Amino acid sequence: MKPARFAYAAPDSIEGVLDALDRFGDEAKVLSGGQSLVPMMNFRLARPEVIVDIGRVGGLDGMSVVNGSLTVGARVIHARLEAPAAAMPDGRTEPLGGVLGSLLPEVARFVGHLPIRARGTFGGSIAHADPAAEWCILARTLDAEMVALRRGGERVITAADFFETVFTTSLEPEELLAAVRLPILGDDWRAGFCEFSRRAGDFAVVAAMTAVRLDRATGAISEARIGVGGVAGVPVRLPDAEATLVGEVPGAELHAAAAEVAAGEVDPAGDLHGSAAYRRDLVRAMVARALAQGAGAPG
Amino acid sequence: MTEISPADVAVPVVLRVNGTDHRVSAEPRRTLADTLREECGLTGTHLGCEHGVCGACTVLLDGEPVRSCLLFAVQAQGAEIRTVEGLAGDDGTLHPLQEAFWRHHGLQCGFCTPGFLMLSTGVLETRPDIGDDELREALSSNLCRCTGYQTIVEAVRSVRDAAGA
């Protein structure tokens, strides 16, 4: 239960981090809050040769609203998303309002426990890529953009291309996930998040996020997003269930119909936390509840 | 060029614990919990699961409760660390939370108690008017195998209520 030996670097600049990653490649692992990586190191499931600690780097923990997106710096701790505040285009820092401003605290409270949320970071969770992690589900559902830096370059990776399989992303060894861009949802969006775990703070067995956009004139759904975690190696979108919703007016019957399609659309594997059939049932329940929550109805 | 500390060499680390600087040496892989116990001699911080689940090793880092088994000592340099040894007064006067855990039978075997005390200290200092539901949620961060938690909740609640009175 003690980690294997590793060499340690704690650069104080992004350039220093990128140099270290460039130099050590896949021998290196980035340490942010350490709330996922260090348990894996303590179990020796992860044995990096070099740890590059980004805890002393400035400039990675900002939140700002730019061009219709909320940019969340990689080192923003989970606790800050319980009451998100961001730098607005006019430079002032304000509490984040709107649909995203309500959604992020709803989701954040499911992330681990209070001490974990005091250390663990948004970017760390995304880069760790646990398929049941709340932020990964949110990123996939909203088509977030991951901003990856490397020495002398930057690229933007969409969530669909970012998550490859369990704990595996398309980040290259010499790349640092610096920030994640989440689209600001207009006030015609309704979003919900629901998760089942056996005890508070545990990893989700299944979690679902939904976001639907309502046509202002008709009240019908013009765009729908359903993302589910805990049923595959990555968080998945459910296009058939999404299609069930489009063109229809939200309501309990419609939500139940979409949830039924969702349950048929996933292909979960069973494990000691729940059989495949049980997870399928949970998908049905979590999708229906997330939709109801988004519509303002009790789940 | 960024400085790299080699894996097998202990590096000098200064930890500020309960207001006192401890100059120790630790390999990069040494957790804060092990360093507190073995290098600083502060064995009040207990280790249960060593992977962040049980909370027995909870300490305050710049005022926030954190798992000291999920933090390397080298990361904690420059931070204000507080452990259970810092709660009671120099003359042995118990901290109000220690008194309350005693009075409300918030412990039996005592193994989890330092972690619960530091968790509650951090919670009440940063959120003195925390609601009952939030307090339960916060206390669910740590594991106790003796009390069934109710007496721990009552102990912490009594200190919150006394402070607000």
Side-chain angles (χ1 to χ4, degrees):
Chain A
M1 300 301 291
K2 312 288 183 194
R5 289 196 165 107
F6 57 82
Y8 175 80
D12 57 9
S13 67
I14 291 182
E15 292 71 30
V17 171
L18 300 180
D19 280 347
L21 294 178
D22 192 60
R23 180 169 151 204
F24 294 106
D26 59 11
E27 289 181 0
K29 194 86 188 157
V30 172
L31 174 65
S32 183
Q35 303 299 288
S36 300
L37 176 60
V38 180
M40 293 186 82
M41 289 171 66
N42 286 359
F43 278 127
R44 305 208 177 187
L45 294 169
R47 302 180 67 135
E49 296 285 324
V50 181
I51 282 290
V52 181
D53 179 2
I54 60 171
R56 299 189 189 274
V57 177
L60 288 174
D61 61 352
M63 285 204 274
S64 57
V65 173
V66 183
N67 296 333
S69 293
L70 173 69
T71 299
V72 183
R75 277 202 46 79
V76 168
I77 57 171
H78 306 304
R80 273 178 60 201
L81 294 155
E82 293 180 71
M88 297 295 154
D90 64 7
R92 285 179 304 155
T93 296
E94 286 177 15
L96 186 70
V99 176
L100 203 53
S102 315
L103 176 68
L104 291 174
E106 277 292 315
V107 178
R109 69 189 180 88
F110 285 105
V111 179
H113 288 288
L114 184 145
I116 304 297
R117 297 197 290 271
R119 286 288 302 170
T121 64
F122 186 85
S125 175
I126 297 283
H128 182 61
D130 186 305
E134 292 80 8
W135 299 131
C136 297
I137 298 167
L138 176 114
R140 181 69 188 91
T141 309
L142 294 181
D143 281 334
E145 293 179 334
M146 322 305 179
V147 181
L149 301 181
R150 68 166 71 206
R151 214 167 69 163
E154 172 185 323
R155 71 176 173 134
V156 175
I157 312 166
T158 62
D161 293 331
F162 185 81
F163 298 111
E164 293 192 331
T165 181
V166 185
F167 304 146
T168 308
T169 72
S170 56
L171 276 181
E172 298 292 339
E174 57 278 1
E175 283 180 321
L176 171 74
L177 177 66
V180 176
R181 292 185 198 140
L182 302 171
I184 299 279
L185 301 172
D187 61 8
D188 50 348
W189 283 87
R190 302 287 179 268
F193 184 92
C194 199
E195 161 171 335
F196 178 81
S197 60
R198 291 193 183 274
R199 292 162 301 193
D202 277 7
F203 287 103
V205 181
V206 167
M209 181 182 155
T210 61
V212 301
R213 188 176 199 173
L214 302 179
D215 185 294
R216 291 177 202 273
T218 64
I221 295 170
S222 60
E223 200 178 333
R225 294 159 177 269
I226 301 178
V228 177
V231 297
V234 294
V236 293
R237 289 280 293 278
L238 302 177
D240 292 349
E242 291 172 356
T244 314
L245 294 167
V246 175
E248 307 290 334
V249 175
E253 259 180 60
L254 179 69
H255 296 164
E260 193 60 43
V261 174
E265 201 173 351
V266 294
D267 185 19
D271 62 19
L272 80 168
H273 300 294
S275 65
Y278 181 61
R279 281 175 197 266
R280 203 180 283 280
D281 285 345
L282 281 176
V283 168
R284 185 185 295 110
M286 294 305 109
V287 168
R289 286 182 199 175
L291 285 167
Q293 189 195 94
Chain B
M1 181 69 69
T2 300
E3 198 181 320
I4 308 284
S5 303
D8 51 356
V9 178
V11 293
V13 177
V14 182
L15 295 178
R16 189 162 181 80
V17 190
N18 303 324
T20 304
D21 282 342
H22 292 255
R23 286 164 212 287
V24 299
S25 57
E27 282 182 30
R29 66 163 165 169
R30 195 79 147 151
T31 63
L32 176 61
D34 281 339
T35 310
L36 287 170
R37 289 178 57 83
E38 292 173 32
E39 260 63 52
C40 305
L42 297 169
T43 52
T45 299
H46 291 172
L47 276 164
C49 72
E50 296 190 287
H51 65 284
V53 170
C54 77
C57 68
T58 304
V59 301
L60 298 184
L61 189 80
D62 291 331
E64 284 291 340
V66 301
R67 313 292 209 211
S68 61
C69 73
L70 297 187
L71 195 62
F72 299 113
V74 286
Q75 291 177 275
Q77 290 206 85
E80 287 283 343
I81 302 159
R82 287 162 65 196
T83 67
V84 71
E85 287 89 347
L87 286 184
D90 289 340
D91 61 355
T93 311
L94 294 182
H95 183 280
L97 275 163
Q98 291 173 311
E99 278 278 347
F101 269 62
W102 178 23
R103 206 167 49 240
H104 290 269
H105 306 286
L107 69 152
Q108 185 178 324
C109 85
F111 189 84
C112 71
T113 311
F116 267 104
L117 285 169
M118 298 321 289
L119 173 68
S120 330
T121 301
V123 168
L124 290 187
E125 283 181 359
T126 53
R127 283 143 277 211
D129 53 357
I130 188 167
D132 284 351
D133 290 349
E134 285 172 285
L135 181 60
R136 270 182 187 276
E137 206 278 331
L139 292 173
S140 79
S141 304
N142 286 16
L143 296 181
C144 171
R145 288 304 184 226
C146 300
T147 60
Y149 303 100
Q150 184 59 30
T151 52
I152 295 175
V153 172
E154 285 164 9
V156 182
R157 211 161 47 195
S158 76
V159 175
R160 177 203 63 188
D161 293 346

